Amino acid sequence: MPKDAAVEEFAGLVRGLKARDGRSYEALGRRLSVSASTLHRYCSGATVPEEFAVVDRLALLCGVDEEERRALEAAWTEADRARRRAASPAPTPVPAMSAAPEPGPGPAPDPSAADPSAPEAPRAGRRRGAPASLLVAAAVALVVLVLAAALLDHPTRTASAPATASTAPGRTAAPLPFTWSIGSQLWEGGCGHTYLVDRAPRAVAPPPIAADSGAWAGTHGAVHGGEALVRITVQGRSPSDAVVLHALHVRVVDRAAPLPWNAYRMDNGCGGAVTPRHFAVDLDRPRPLARPVDGLDASGAEVRKIPAVSFPYKVTSSDPEELLVSARTAGCDCRWYLELEWSAGGRTGTVRITDGGKPFRTSGTRGRPAYVYDSAEERWITDSDSGQTG
């Protein structure tokens, strides 16, 4: 299938940046927190990154100027639009609707209304209109006098929206000294994931590549099964004034029984990956915590352990930070979000990290029918048919 022209143009720009950097796919991928094979697919146009953040990091490493960065973002936007068009299902044709029937004759006119000789109905209250108006005016004047007396006894107050703890009333809150973005449709190692879908196997499309997982999940109404991976990219606005990240908190807003849906596994082999700044969250605990754990670099010939590093972190415009949160559950359908504490230049605050304004959602898969995709037969089959277990 020929590639879209926008995808080809974007891939050419990425290849140019990779050539300018001079590193190998493995070495450059490690700096970008993606596998060597994933970076190669970006350069060849086989895949378009689901987010601009990874391309922005590449631009920073290559020292591009602002004009070139804007051109790169515009090219990615067009390529991403083409990727989404290709991933979206074809619209179902809507049958033509029959023409609406012609309206029938309306109700017969009221003879009394059509007959000009009918006597005019008496207009009750015409003579009482003047006294009623005087009574209303007197009541309004009385209310005004009472309010005036109350204002003389009390200081005047101006209604305003409630101010936050760090913002004085009547002042606009200052912008955050950093930017952040998330990726919420990630797969373990960039290759495997489980989704819960309320559909029979014959109504579920083949598994997508990892870069198209968001569109696939949205089309199927899928929920993360057993584990959700959330990547948070934080970048300061100033090259010299650092922002300190102090803590990451987990807030569970709703717990329900695990969803009784089928589990579909996205087990597609695709090389290694990097998991830096890895935080594990057990959503089944009464008060879940984001616990730092060792990460892994599987992009090279040998798997290398990345030692866990806890807070605080510092970020600037030239030194962003990437946090990976792995939230697991076996016993609930959990809705949750994150809170990131920060400080900079005498200011402090907390940012709520959500999935586009909605809580993240993860549901247990224990006891649910599990399916994997048989590429040879082009259909979903059960674990027992495939020889897999667990």
Side-chain angles (χ1 to χ4, degrees):
M1 180 178 178
K3 297 186 182 70
D4 187 275
V7 175
E8 289 281 17
E9 180 183 357
F10 171 73
L13 294 176
V14 176
R15 287 195 300 271
L17 291 177
K18 195 266 179 188
R20 184 190 307 183
D21 180 82
R23 295 183 178 90
S24 66
Y25 282 105
E26 180 181 337
L28 184 56
R30 186 178 296 115
R31 294 292 302 274
L32 300 175
S33 299
V34 299
S35 66
S37 58
T38 297
L39 180 58
H40 184 270
R41 289 197 296 274
Y42 293 162
C43 291
S44 66
T47 301
V48 177
E50 194 168 20
E51 297 176 346
F52 181 68
V54 63
V55 187
D56 200 20
R57 291 197 298 273
L58 176 59
L60 283 173
L61 288 175
C62 295
V64 303
D65 57 27
E66 185 60 27
E67 182 178 355
E68 189 176 0
R69 181 190 175 279
R70 285 196 297 268
L72 182 64
E73 185 172 12
W76 171 84
T77 300
E78 292 300 321
D80 182 63
R81 190 173 293 138
R83 176 185 66 82
R84 293 177 184 275
R85 282 197 304 266
S88 300
T92 304
V94 179
M97 298 183 64
S98 58
E102 294 184 1
D110 187 355
S112 61
D115 187 2
S117 62
E120 183 180 0
R123 300 184 181 180
R126 175 180 292 178
R127 296 183 178 180
R128 297 182 181 180
S133 300
L134 292 176
L135 290 175
V136 171
V140 171
L142 180 59
V143 171
V144 171
L145 290 174
V146 172
L147 290 176
L151 291 175
L152 290 174
D153 293 336
H154 299 279
T156 303
R157 296 182 180 180
T158 304
S160 61
T164 60
S166 58
T167 306
R171 294 184 181 179
T172 304
L176 290 174
F178 61 92
T179 62
W180 61 272
S181 62
I182 67 161
S184 62
Q185 296 293 341
L186 307 181
W187 295 358
E188 183 177 359
C191 307
H193 193 63
T194 297
Y195 286 109
L196 289 168
V197 180
D198 190 18
R199 295 188 186 184
R202 64 180 178 275
V204 177
I209 60 175
D212 293 335
S213 58
W216 189 96
T219 299
H220 292 79
V223 172
H224 296 296
E227 179 186 32
L229 295 174
V230 177
R231 181 183 62 238
I232 309 167
T233 303
V234 186
Q235 184 174 11
R237 296 183 184 273
S238 168
S240 56
D241 298 332
V243 178
V244 181
L245 310 179
H246 293 280
L248 188 67
H249 302 292
V250 184
R251 309 298 186 197
V252 178
V253 295
D254 185 56
R255 296 179 188 270
L259 294 169
W261 297 354
N262 292 332
Y264 295 91
R265 295 179 175 170
M266 312 284 116
D267 296 329
N268 295 327
C270 57
V274 182
T275 57
R277 299 289 191 262
H278 188 192
F279 294 85
V281 177
D282 183 359
L283 294 173
D284 293 327
R285 296 180 65 87
R287 298 183 63 183
L289 300 174
R291 182 173 55 87
V293 296
D294 293 339
L296 293 176
D297 181 357
S299 61
E302 297 182 359
V303 177
R304 182 174 63 89
K305 182 171 71 173
I306 302 176
V309 179
S310 187
F311 286 96
Y313 304 137
K314 291 184 178 181
V315 296
T316 62
S317 61
S318 59
D319 188 16
E321 189 64 73
E322 187 171 279
L323 314 174
L324 180 66
V325 176
S326 170
R328 298 174 180 265
T329 179
C332 79
D333 174 14
C334 290
R335 299 173 190 265
W336 53 280
Y337 64 87
L338 300 165
E339 288 182 343
L340 181 63
E341 290 187 14
W342 61 272
S343 66
R347 298 172 56 198
T348 60
T350 301
V351 170
R352 177 176 294 188
I353 308 293
T354 62
D355 192 4
K358 301 182 297 183
F360 302 104
R361 188 177 184 185
T362 316
S363 179
T365 61
R366 184 181 300 165
R368 304 313 310 152
Y371 295 87
V372 295
Y373 193 74
D374 188 326
S375 300
E377 298 187 11
E378 296 185 344
R379 67 184 181 94
W380 292 95
I381 60 176
T382 63
D383 277 353
S384 57
D385 292 335
S386 68
Q388 296 187 30
T389 58

